[in-house]
Amino acid sequence: ITLTTPEGEQVDFYVLEETRISGMNYLLVTDAAEDEEEGECYILKDRSKPEEEDAVYEFVDDDDEMDYLFKIFTELTEDMDLDLKK
């Protein structure tokens, strides 16, 4: 997916996994393309309304929410060759 920063810069991320918890969609994304060995992982929260055509994502930055989601995404990706670290 491509996100646009408030400054108008476009940044590409690659979706590794997604989940829905309590009616909220979350994505585990990385900034590394498939052919790259290492990259940073981020968790994005879909803040868009159902009637919006484009999704609106924000980075999860609440520590408690991040810890909870990290555990879930770790379980969801256990069959993948990922080295998730906090």
Side-chain angles (χ1 to χ4, degrees), residues 8-32:
E9 179 185 351
Q10 293 193 332
V11 183
D12 290 327
F13 290 98
Y14 304 90
V15 178
L16 300 172
E17 187 62 76
E18 63 183 308
T19 191
R20 184 173 181 86
I21 302 169
S22 300
M24 185 70 64
N25 292 322
Y26 295 93
L27 298 177
L28 175 66
V29 300
T30 184
D31 58 2

Side-chain angles (χ1 to χ4, degrees), residues 9-71:
E9 179 185 351
Q10 293 193 332
V11 183
D12 290 327
F13 290 98
Y14 304 90
V15 178
L16 300 172
E17 187 62 76
E18 63 183 308
T19 191
R20 184 173 181 86
I21 302 169
S22 300
M24 185 70 64
N25 292 322
Y26 295 93
L27 298 177
L28 175 66
V29 300
T30 184
D31 58 2
E34 277 188 51
D35 58 344
E36 296 177 17
E37 281 190 30
E38 292 188 26
E40 296 292 320
C41 286
Y42 305 94
I43 298 176
L44 302 176
K45 180 190 304 189
D46 185 351
R47 302 297 284 179
S48 56
K49 295 177 177 58
E51 65 272 6
E52 291 180 311
E53 187 174 314
D54 292 328
V56 177
Y57 290 101
E58 69 179 29
F59 291 93
V60 173
D61 57 4
D62 176 77
D63 289 338
D64 292 334
E65 184 178 22
M66 181 71 78
D67 290 343
Y68 176 71
L69 292 167
F70 181 79
K71 290 176 188 174

